[in-house]
Amino acid sequence: MTHHLQNLVSGFLSVPRNFRQEQDQRGNFFGFSPFDTSQLRQAQILSDNYFRISRENASNDPVAKVMEQAQLDAQQYDPELVRYALMVWIAHDPEARRRNLKIPPLGQRAPHISVPKQTNAAAGAPTPTTADPPLTNLDWWREDPQLSEHHEHWHIVFPAFPVNGVSKDREGENFAFMHRQMLARYDAERVAVGLQPVKPLSDFSEHIPEAYNPDSDLTYDPDGNPSTTNFHFMARSTGKELTDLAGNNAPKVSTLLQYRQQLLDGIEGKGETNFGQDDKSATTLGNVLETTLHNTGHNTPPGVMIDPRTAARDPVFWRWHRHVDDVFSTWQNKQAPYDFSDAPPVVIKSNDIILAWKDKLLEADRWEELMKFS
Ligand SMILES: [Cu+2]
């Protein structure tokens, strides 16, 4: 990859300070979200087109040809949507990979919305991001741009649509698995500072106690005019409820309830779409769960921020994901125990580590109790 082309791509993927203005100009007042089905479909059409262009120009500068198209697309569509479609292409296209084309780190692409300035930390007084004092002990973790980047990147690698015509193996199951890993790490951090594991946001009329004040260093330029003040990201005070968005197709709280009921009915085997007891159903359920309940929740204000680049900063992101994960667990708990009876014969070597229930250990192996007397 020539420096010139990588620079062209990196420049294109850089989010300008006035990105909200660009969106407003194209009538996309709520911004781009890959959790919005119709925007996601549009992104799929654009990225599929990049795969086609790249294929047809494989021996003739495919990256330059794709960039020509992306630049045209950015005049017609929300540039944020085009950037997302282009990143899906870069992450998957054999020609882009062969040329070692890179997506620059989030902190380089969009520092003003992801990297807090160092000044607060240097002064020893980080801006508290929640009203609940102990929860602020985890700001360092939730506000880490690399955590958000990890989450953003997963949604680029698994964009909830077939990439270049191919649905990924076990994508839906991976959706549940990956977000569960994020939750496990968050819970470990919570327990480490004396908090309980995160509670699910299962009551959609709850007055959400967790407030959120986005870092005051993170701003955007509303109008492209350097003399007007920059905007901060919207804060949420304590006690807010999920609310409907205005507009016919906009997410409604009642839609969330409907989706959840459909999923639970399907898990019970009495829905329109039922989820069976086989491994494949993990992916079917994961897909439906992601594209209905999960995505709509991400787009329902003021509950969960919609931008996968920044959403994990908000404590409610984690409460929402705990609930989504609980729905998946409801299905898992209906599965027969997996007894490994079809596993290959096991050979135990002297330096292997064996995990066992404490009460099943032989007397001589109860090291914890033995330690008490030593
Ligand atoms: Cu996610």
Side-chain angles (χ1 to χ4, degrees), residues 313-333:
R313 294 170 179 270
D314 185 340
V316 168
F317 170 93
W318 302 93
R319 294 200 55 201
W320 179 245
H321 268 283
R322 174 91 282 158
H323 180 55
V324 170
D325 189 66
D326 283 351
V327 174
F328 197 81
S329 297
T330 309
W331 173 82
Q332 275 183 306
N333 290 339

Side-chain angles (χ1 to χ4, degrees), residues 35 151 154-155 175 178-179 182 294 298 317 321:
F35 302 136
H151 180 237
W154 190 89
H155 282 281
F175 164 79
M178 177 277 193
H179 287 86
M182 286 182 73
H294 163 264
H298 268 292
F317 170 93
H321 268 283

